[in-house]
Amino acid sequence: MTLSSRMLRPVDPGLVSQALEVAGRLAGDATDVITATAGRGARPTTKESPFDWVTDTDRTLERHTRRVLAAEFPGIPVVGEEYGDDSGAEHAEYRWVVDPVDGTANYVAGIPWCSYSLALVDADGPVVSVVADPYRGQVYSAGRGRGARANGALVRVPECAGTAGAIVCTELTGGDAWPGMARFVERAARAHSGTRILGSSALAVTQVALGHAVAAVLDGYREWDVAGALGIATEAGAVILDRRGRQATLPLDGMLVAAPTVADDVLGWWTGAQEE
Protein backbone atom coordinates (compact mmCIF):
# COMPACT_ATOMS: atom_id res chain seq x y z
CA MET A 1 0.00 0.00 0.00
CA THR A 2 1.35 3.43 -0.90
CA LEU A 3 1.49 6.20 1.67
CA SER A 4 -1.22 8.53 0.37
CA SER A 5 -0.71 12.25 0.67
CA ARG A 6 -4.27 12.37 1.99
CA MET A 7 -3.01 10.69 5.17
CA LEU A 8 -0.67 13.61 5.84
CA ARG A 9 -1.47 16.86 7.58
CA PRO A 10 -3.43 19.35 5.48
CA VAL A 11 -1.73 22.48 4.18
CA ASP A 12 -3.24 25.87 3.33
CA PRO A 13 -4.32 25.56 -0.34
CA GLY A 14 -3.24 29.15 -0.96
CA LEU A 15 0.28 28.38 0.22
CA VAL A 16 0.46 25.30 -2.00
CA SER A 17 -0.73 27.25 -5.05
CA GLN A 18 1.70 30.11 -4.47
CA ALA A 19 4.58 27.74 -3.78
CA LEU A 20 3.89 25.75 -6.96
CA GLU A 21 3.84 28.92 -9.03
CA VAL A 22 7.07 30.33 -7.60
CA ALA A 23 8.89 26.99 -7.64
CA GLY A 24 7.87 26.44 -11.25
CA ARG A 25 9.18 29.87 -12.18
CA LEU A 26 12.50 29.15 -10.48
CA ALA A 27 12.73 25.79 -12.27
CA GLY A 28 12.29 27.62 -15.56
CA ASP A 29 15.06 30.05 -14.65
CA ALA A 30 17.35 27.14 -13.76
CA THR A 31 16.58 25.37 -17.03
CA ASP A 32 17.62 28.43 -19.01
CA VAL A 33 20.89 28.84 -17.11
CA ILE A 34 21.88 25.17 -17.14
CA THR A 35 21.22 24.63 -20.85
CA ALA A 36 23.07 27.85 -21.74
CA THR A 37 26.22 27.01 -19.80
CA ALA A 38 26.61 23.21 -19.44
CA GLY A 39 30.02 21.95 -20.51
CA ARG A 40 31.10 25.42 -21.63
CA GLY A 41 33.49 27.10 -19.21
CA ALA A 42 31.60 26.31 -16.02
CA ARG A 43 34.79 27.01 -13.98
CA PRO A 44 34.43 24.10 -11.58
CA THR A 45 36.17 23.71 -8.27
CA THR A 46 35.98 20.80 -5.84
CA LYS A 47 34.69 20.47 -2.30
CA GLU A 48 35.51 17.30 -0.36
CA SER A 49 37.02 15.20 -3.15
CA PRO A 50 38.36 15.65 -6.71
CA PHE A 51 35.02 14.37 -8.07
CA ASP A 52 32.81 16.53 -5.81
CA TRP A 53 32.35 19.43 -8.18
CA VAL A 54 30.88 22.85 -7.48
CA THR A 55 30.55 25.56 -10.14
CA ASP A 56 29.63 29.19 -10.54
CA THR A 57 26.27 27.97 -11.79
CA ASP A 58 25.56 26.06 -8.56
CA ARG A 59 26.27 29.18 -6.51
CA THR A 60 24.47 31.60 -8.85
CA LEU A 61 21.29 29.49 -9.02
CA GLU A 62 21.16 28.96 -5.28
CA ARG A 63 21.66 32.70 -4.58
CA HIS A 64 18.89 33.52 -7.08
CA THR A 65 16.59 30.92 -5.50
CA ARG A 66 17.21 32.29 -2.03
CA ARG A 67 16.55 35.89 -3.13
CA VAL A 68 13.23 35.00 -4.76
CA LEU A 69 12.07 32.82 -1.87
CA ALA A 70 13.00 35.46 0.70
CA ALA A 71 10.85 37.99 -1.17
CA GLU A 72 7.89 35.68 -1.80
CA PHE A 73 7.91 33.71 1.48
CA PRO A 74 9.46 35.85 4.21
CA GLY A 75 9.98 33.87 7.37
CA ILE A 76 10.34 30.45 5.70
CA PRO A 77 14.00 29.40 5.98
CA VAL A 78 16.00 27.81 3.18
CA VAL A 79 18.29 24.79 3.27
CA GLY A 80 20.66 24.54 0.31
CA GLU A 81 23.62 22.50 -0.84
CA GLU A 82 25.97 25.43 -1.37
CA TYR A 83 25.05 27.89 1.41
CA GLY A 84 23.75 25.63 4.17
CA ASP A 85 20.81 26.14 6.53
CA ASP A 86 19.15 29.43 7.36
CA SER A 87 18.83 30.13 11.07
CA GLY A 88 15.97 28.16 12.61
CA ALA A 89 15.47 25.85 9.63
CA GLU A 90 15.69 22.68 11.71
CA HIS A 91 12.68 23.54 13.88
CA ALA A 92 10.62 25.68 11.46
CA GLU A 93 7.08 24.66 10.49
CA TYR A 94 8.14 24.86 6.83
CA ARG A 95 11.50 25.01 5.11
CA TRP A 96 12.59 25.24 1.50
CA VAL A 97 15.19 22.71 0.34
CA VAL A 98 17.16 23.41 -2.84
CA ASP A 99 19.81 21.65 -4.88
CA PRO A 100 20.75 24.06 -7.67
CA VAL A 101 22.50 21.45 -9.84
CA ASP A 102 22.06 17.77 -8.96
CA GLY A 103 24.55 15.93 -11.14
CA THR A 104 27.21 18.62 -11.27
CA ALA A 105 29.88 16.24 -12.63
CA ASN A 106 27.61 15.52 -15.61
CA TYR A 107 26.94 19.24 -16.03
CA VAL A 108 30.67 20.05 -16.06
CA ALA A 109 31.35 17.32 -18.64
CA GLY A 110 28.41 18.32 -20.82
CA ILE A 111 26.65 14.99 -20.29
CA PRO A 112 22.89 15.70 -20.62
CA TRP A 113 21.72 14.35 -17.27
CA CYS A 114 21.43 16.80 -14.39
CA SER A 115 18.62 18.65 -12.65
CA TYR A 116 17.46 21.52 -10.48
CA SER A 117 15.48 20.46 -7.41
CA LEU A 118 13.35 22.51 -5.01
CA ALA A 119 10.86 21.45 -2.32
CA LEU A 120 8.78 23.05 0.40
CA VAL A 121 8.95 20.63 3.32
CA ASP A 122 7.10 20.28 6.64
CA ALA A 123 7.28 17.66 9.39
CA ASP A 124 5.46 15.15 7.16
CA GLY A 125 7.77 15.58 4.18
CA PRO A 126 7.47 17.43 0.86
CA VAL A 127 4.49 19.77 0.50
CA VAL A 128 5.43 21.21 -2.90
CA SER A 129 8.08 19.72 -5.16
CA VAL A 130 9.70 20.72 -8.44
CA VAL A 131 12.46 19.02 -10.43
CA ALA A 132 13.67 20.59 -13.67
CA ASP A 133 15.12 18.25 -16.31
CA PRO A 134 16.73 20.87 -18.57
CA TYR A 135 17.98 18.64 -21.38
CA ARG A 136 14.56 17.09 -21.95
CA GLY A 137 12.73 20.40 -21.55
CA GLN A 138 10.66 18.97 -18.70
CA VAL A 139 9.57 20.39 -15.35
CA TYR A 140 8.13 17.82 -12.97
CA SER A 141 6.02 19.13 -10.11
CA ALA A 142 3.72 18.01 -7.32
CA GLY A 143 1.63 19.51 -4.55
CA ARG A 144 0.38 17.51 -1.59
CA GLY A 145 -2.94 15.97 -2.55
CA ARG A 146 -2.82 17.46 -6.05
CA GLY A 147 -0.98 14.74 -7.97
CA ALA A 148 2.27 14.80 -9.94
CA ARG A 149 2.72 16.47 -13.29
CA ALA A 150 5.22 16.61 -16.15
CA ASN A 151 4.97 19.93 -17.97
CA GLY A 152 1.43 20.22 -16.61
CA ALA A 153 0.22 16.73 -17.60
CA LEU A 154 -0.73 14.35 -14.79
CA VAL A 155 1.55 11.33 -14.35
CA ARG A 156 1.05 8.10 -12.40
CA VAL A 157 3.33 5.16 -11.72
CA PRO A 158 2.15 2.55 -14.23
CA GLU A 159 1.29 -0.97 -13.16
CA CYS A 160 4.03 -3.46 -13.88
CA ALA A 161 3.98 -7.23 -13.69
CA GLY A 162 7.50 -7.60 -12.30
CA THR A 163 11.13 -6.62 -12.59
CA ALA A 164 12.08 -8.81 -15.58
CA GLY A 165 13.12 -6.60 -18.48
CA ALA A 166 12.85 -3.43 -16.37
CA ILE A 167 15.32 -0.74 -15.33
CA VAL A 168 16.34 -0.17 -11.71
CA CYS A 169 18.31 2.97 -10.84
CA THR A 170 20.86 3.50 -8.12
CA GLU A 171 23.62 6.02 -7.41
CA LEU A 172 27.08 6.09 -5.91
CA THR A 173 27.44 7.49 -2.40
CA GLY A 174 30.00 10.27 -2.14
CA GLY A 175 31.59 9.07 -5.37
CA ASP A 176 32.03 5.52 -4.04
CA ALA A 177 30.14 2.27 -4.40
CA TRP A 178 27.98 1.65 -1.34
CA PRO A 179 28.41 -1.55 0.72
CA GLY A 180 26.84 -4.43 -1.17
CA MET A 181 26.33 -2.44 -4.38
CA ALA A 182 28.04 -4.99 -6.63
CA ARG A 183 25.96 -7.79 -5.11
CA PHE A 184 22.80 -5.70 -5.61
CA VAL A 185 23.61 -5.33 -9.30
CA GLU A 186 24.20 -9.08 -9.53
CA ARG A 187 20.87 -9.85 -7.87
CA ALA A 188 19.08 -7.50 -10.26
CA ALA A 189 20.78 -9.14 -13.23
CA ARG A 190 19.74 -12.61 -12.06
CA ALA A 191 16.16 -11.29 -12.02
CA HIS A 192 16.67 -10.08 -15.63
CA SER A 193 16.57 -6.41 -14.58
CA GLY A 194 19.09 -3.81 -15.73
CA THR A 195 20.75 -1.43 -13.24
CA ARG A 196 21.65 2.13 -14.22
CA ILE A 197 23.91 4.63 -12.43
CA LEU A 198 23.31 7.95 -14.20
CA GLY A 199 24.56 10.61 -11.80
CA SER A 200 21.51 12.48 -10.45
CA SER A 201 19.59 11.19 -7.44
CA ALA A 202 16.68 13.53 -8.15
CA LEU A 203 16.29 12.27 -11.71
CA ALA A 204 16.73 8.64 -10.61
CA VAL A 205 13.74 8.93 -8.28
CA THR A 206 11.75 10.89 -10.86
CA GLN A 207 12.20 8.07 -13.41
CA VAL A 208 10.12 5.83 -11.13
CA ALA A 209 7.30 8.39 -11.01
CA LEU A 210 7.37 8.60 -14.80
CA GLY A 211 7.42 4.84 -15.31
CA HIS A 212 10.83 4.78 -17.02
CA ALA A 213 12.27 2.72 -14.15
CA VAL A 214 10.48 0.40 -11.75
CA ALA A 215 12.63 1.29 -8.74
CA ALA A 216 15.46 3.45 -7.44
CA VAL A 217 17.70 2.50 -4.53
CA LEU A 218 19.70 5.27 -2.85
CA ASP A 219 21.95 4.12 -0.05
CA GLY A 220 23.33 7.56 0.84
CA TYR A 221 22.41 11.15 -0.02
CA ARG A 222 21.59 14.52 1.50
CA GLU A 223 18.10 15.97 1.95
CA TRP A 224 18.49 18.43 -0.90
CA ASP A 225 19.35 15.59 -3.31
CA VAL A 226 15.96 13.94 -2.94
CA ALA A 227 13.34 16.24 -1.36
CA GLY A 228 11.94 17.55 -4.64
CA ALA A 229 11.82 14.17 -6.35
CA LEU A 230 10.24 12.37 -3.41
CA GLY A 231 7.22 14.65 -3.40
CA ILE A 232 6.70 13.87 -7.08
CA ALA A 233 7.11 10.12 -6.53
CA THR A 234 4.67 10.14 -3.61
CA GLU A 235 2.00 11.97 -5.57
CA ALA A 236 2.53 9.68 -8.58
CA GLY A 237 1.79 6.62 -6.43
CA ALA A 238 5.26 5.19 -5.79
CA VAL A 239 6.14 3.29 -2.62
CA ILE A 240 8.87 4.93 -0.52
CA LEU A 241 10.61 2.73 2.03
CA ASP A 242 13.57 3.24 4.32
CA ARG A 243 16.34 0.66 4.52
CA ARG A 244 14.33 -1.31 7.12
CA GLY A 245 11.32 -1.58 4.82
CA ARG A 246 9.21 1.00 6.65
CA GLN A 247 7.11 3.51 4.72
CA ALA A 248 8.32 7.10 4.93
CA THR A 249 7.86 10.35 3.05
CA LEU A 250 11.42 11.66 3.45
CA PRO A 251 13.77 8.96 4.78
CA LEU A 252 17.25 10.30 5.42
CA ASP A 253 19.27 7.10 5.81
CA GLY A 254 18.78 5.06 2.69
CA MET A 255 15.64 4.63 0.61
CA LEU A 256 13.85 2.56 -1.95
CA VAL A 257 11.39 4.25 -4.32
CA ALA A 258 9.45 1.71 -6.35
CA ALA A 259 6.33 0.78 -8.22
CA PRO A 260 4.12 -0.90 -5.59
CA THR A 261 4.11 -4.33 -7.25
CA VAL A 262 7.91 -4.70 -7.21
CA ALA A 263 8.84 -2.95 -3.95
CA ASP A 264 9.21 -6.16 -1.92
CA ASP A 265 11.40 -7.82 -4.55
CA VAL A 266 13.81 -4.89 -4.90
CA LEU A 267 13.92 -4.37 -1.14
CA GLY A 268 15.00 -8.00 -0.83
CA TRP A 269 17.84 -7.47 -3.32
CA TRP A 270 19.01 -4.41 -1.40
CA THR A 271 18.87 -5.77 2.13
CA GLY A 272 20.14 -9.18 1.06
CA ALA A 273 23.12 -7.66 -0.74
CA GLN A 274 24.14 -5.76 2.38
CA GLU A 275 23.83 -8.82 4.62
CA GLU A 276 26.05 -11.12 2.53
Side-chain angles (χ1 to χ4, degrees):
M1 182 182 72
T2 59
L3 187 62
S4 170
S5 61
R6 290 166 179 80
M7 299 166 60
L8 306 178
R9 70 189 67 193
V11 181
D12 176 14
L15 174 61
V16 175
S17 294
Q18 182 188 7
L20 278 168
E21 189 278 323
V22 173
R25 180 157 35 99
L26 285 166
D29 294 343
T31 293
D32 292 343
V33 171
I34 289 170
T35 54
T37 59
R40 295 188 286 274
R43 291 173 51 190
T45 58
T46 60
K47 291 184 280 189
E48 297 178 2
S49 76
F51 200 68
D52 190 11
W53 297 108
V54 60
T55 69
D56 291 344
T57 300
D58 293 90
R59 299 185 183 99
T60 297
L61 284 176
E62 185 165 325
R63 287 196 299 266
H64 174 63
T65 297
R66 287 175 177 271
R67 282 195 298 269
V68 171
L69 294 178
E72 297 280 357
F73 303 93
I76 297 182
V78 178
V79 175
E81 180 175 14
E82 308 306 334
Y83 295 103
D85 299 7
D86 285 348
S87 177
E90 183 178 358
H91 302 292
E93 181 181 10
Y94 297 105
R95 66 186 181 279
W96 286 101
V97 181
V98 59
D99 189 345
V101 183
D102 182 48
T104 305
N106 287 347
Y107 166 77
V108 170
I111 295 172
W113 191 261
C114 65
S115 61
Y116 169 88
S117 178
L118 179 64
L120 180 66
V121 175
D122 69 4
D124 282 346
V127 173
V128 163
S129 304
V130 169
V131 172
D133 184 352
Y135 290 100
R136 272 150 289 280
Q138 294 281 324
V139 174
Y140 313 116
S141 62
R144 185 176 292 171
R146 300 192 184 191
R149 297 177 182 271
N151 281 3
L154 280 169
V155 295
R156 291 287 299 174
V157 174
E159 293 201 16
C160 58
T163 57
I167 293 293
V168 174
C169 294
T170 190
E171 293 294 338
L172 301 173
T173 299
D176 294 325
W178 42 268
M181 187 173 184
R183 292 187 293 272
F184 174 82
V185 173
E186 291 170 357
R187 284 169 171 253
R190 288 199 296 269
H192 307 290
S193 180
T195 306
R196 297 294 182 267
I197 304 169
L198 299 172
S200 167
S201 296
L203 288 181
V205 171
T206 304
Q207 301 318 297
V208 181
L210 298 171
H212 300 158
V214 296
V217 171
L218 302 178
D219 197 74
Y221 45 85
R222 301 296 293 271
E223 182 183 28
W224 49 72
D225 296 324
V226 297
L230 285 177
I232 295 163
T234 297
E235 288 294 322
V239 171
I240 300 171
L241 305 176
D242 67 15
R243 68 173 65 250
R244 297 169 184 83
R246 300 174 301 197
Q247 291 198 60
T249 55
L250 188 57
L252 294 179
D253 181 29
M255 75 172 72
L256 164 66
V257 181
T261 53
V262 305
D264 288 342
D265 289 341
V266 181
L267 180 65
W269 303 347
W270 182 27
T271 56
Q274 294 190 312
E275 291 169 356
E276 290 180 2

